[in-house]
Structures are given as structure tokens and as C-alpha cells.
Amino acid sequence: MKKETIWIVLASTIALLISSILTFRIVNGGIPLMDRLSAPLVKNLEGNIFFLVFRWITELGSGTFLTPFSIIMAILIAMYYKQFLAGFFIFTGTLLGYRMNHWIKVLVQRERPRILEAAEGQGYSFPSGHAMVSLIGYGLIIYFLYRYLKNTTTKQWIFWSGIILIFLIGMSRFVIRVHYLSDVLAGFAFGFLFLISWIGLYLLISYLQDRLFRISKT
């Protein structure tokens, strides 16, 4: 088994355990220890520069920004690299990520630490949609750019910048107190599982397309 495959399997297993344990804990009315310990850390941040910076960062994971951005990137990748299937998977993956996040929230029905409509902080809390869908949407864009870009330095810059951005967007929801820390962690876990599954489906369809093309040429 390749080293990459081993790491993916390991990360997926950890993500599955985290999402399962946290979901079970919260559905059964429990408050994870991480929430009891971390909640006081952000209680009095509102109004200071730290809060304002994260209040701005959180907008990069909002539906009003991420949805059109994913559409634009899907079109650019589809047209520039002639990878129409990749563009389709970026767009549909992001939209389906929002749907899945909504369904999980409705099933779990966890109340938020507070409501902040201006930052899309309304409705149910678990898991964080910003954390989950940012990982899916930006993750897909990063994956396909990394796959088709030629310059190694550019690929590395996009990869690490994207990882940092996704992390900051997720943490911004905790800092501005519209999510518990466990919501953010679960959002990352669910998002990673969806991302890996969606990329796997893309690779399978690409493989089948290639096989059919080879058969048609013989």
C-alpha cells in the first residue's frame, strides 16, 4: 500500500471516530469536556481587534461568498484545463456539502452558544457549516489546482495557504461564539470524510471514462 493511501486511511479513520463520538455525545445530551474548558476563553473577546479580525475571516466561509467563489473556480478550472468533470465536482460538491450539513444539524438539533444573524450564526449549531463546507469547497479547489498546476512552488503555496485558511475559517466560528469548539471539530471531521469520498468518486468516474475511451479507440 502506498504511503499516501496509508495516511488517507488513517486520517479518515480519525475523522470518523471524532464525528461519531461527538455526535453520539451531543445527541445524548452531553457537553463535551472541550466545550466546558474552551468556552470561557472566548467569552470576553467581542469588540477587541482579535474578535474583529476573525469576524472578517468568517465571511470567507459564508454561503454568500463561498458559493459564487466555488462556481467561478469551477468554471475557470473547467475552461482553462479542459477538465469539465473537475469543474462539475467542485460546484456540486460544495452545494451538496451545504445540504449534508443542514441534514446533520436537523438530526442533532443542538442549540448555538448565541445567535448572530449578521455572521450567519442562526439555526442549529452542530456541526459548524463554515468549518465543514469550507473544508469541502476550498479542499476541492486546492485538490484540483494541485493536480493540474505544473509549478511545484505554486502548488505548495496554494496547498498550505488553503489549509491555513480553512483552519482559520473554522476557528473564527468559535472565536465569535456562534459555535462551540466541538461544533468546529466535528465540522472539520465531517467535511474531511465528505471530501475524501467525493474525490474518490471523481477518480472512479475518471477511470471509467478513460477505460471507455480506450475501448472506443480500439
Side-chain angles (χ1 to χ4, degrees):
M1 186 181 290
K2 292 183 179 179
K3 187 180 290 186
E4 278 185 3
T5 304
I6 294 173
W7 280 111
I8 290 172
V9 171
L10 179 61
S12 299
T13 302
I14 293 171
L16 181 60
L17 286 171
I18 290 172
S19 58
S20 300
I21 291 169
L22 289 176
T23 302
F24 179 81
R25 177 73 169 161
I26 292 165
V27 165
N28 285 277
I31 301 176
L33 178 62
M34 72 174 71
D35 292 338
R36 295 199 295 270
L37 295 177
S38 63
L41 299 177
V42 294
K43 191 173 182 179
N44 299 312
L45 290 179
E46 189 159 359
N48 67 22
I49 187 64
F50 191 71
F51 179 93
L52 294 175
V53 168
F54 276 92
R55 175 65 184 84
W56 179 82
I57 290 173
T58 204
E59 293 300 320
L60 299 178
S62 66
T64 53
F65 179 85
L66 185 54
T67 300
F69 182 73
S70 66
I71 293 172
I72 292 169
M73 291 304 299
I75 293 171
L76 289 176
I77 289 173
M79 301 303 294
Y80 186 80
Y81 294 107
K82 307 300 180 185
Q83 297 294 333
F84 300 103
L85 183 62
F88 175 78
F89 263 69
I90 291 172
F91 170 63
T92 55
T94 303
L95 293 186
L96 186 55
Y98 277 115
R99 285 292 87 204
M100 289 193 67
N101 178 260
H102 173 74
W103 295 332
I104 298 169
K105 283 182 175 178
V106 171
L107 287 172
V108 177
Q109 297 188 10
R110 187 187 199 186
E111 297 299 326
R112 290 179 184 268
R114 72 161 178 168
I115 301 297
L116 186 60
E117 293 186 15
E120 295 186 354
Q122 53 191 342
Y124 293 122
S125 188
F126 182 92
S128 165
H130 279 62
M132 179 175 171
V133 186
S134 289
L135 197 150
I136 294 169
Y138 288 117
L140 287 168
I141 293 168
I142 293 166
Y143 171 77
F144 286 113
L145 286 176
Y146 197 93
R147 184 181 178 91
Y148 298 117
L149 282 170
K150 302 299 183 184
N151 187 282
T152 302
T153 302
T154 304
K155 289 166 68 169
Q156 290 295 324
W157 186 88
I158 288 175
F159 177 81
W160 288 111
S161 297
I163 295 298
I164 293 170
L165 176 62
I166 292 166
F167 174 76
L168 291 176
I169 289 172
M171 291 305 297
S172 73
R173 307 305 282 173
F174 168 65
V175 171
I176 66 173
R177 293 180 57 234
V178 292
H179 282 291
Y180 297 102
L181 188 58
S182 59
D183 298 335
V184 175
L185 184 58
F188 285 145
F190 279 114
F192 182 80
L193 291 171
F194 181 96
L195 178 66
I196 292 300
S197 301
W198 201 243
I199 290 174
L201 180 60
Y202 165 79
L203 293 174
L204 175 61
I205 294 175
S206 296
Y207 171 77
L208 293 175
Q209 276 187 332
D210 184 61
R211 291 289 295 174
L212 288 172
F213 178 77
R214 290 172 183 270
I215 292 171
S216 66
K217 294 292 286 185
T218 58

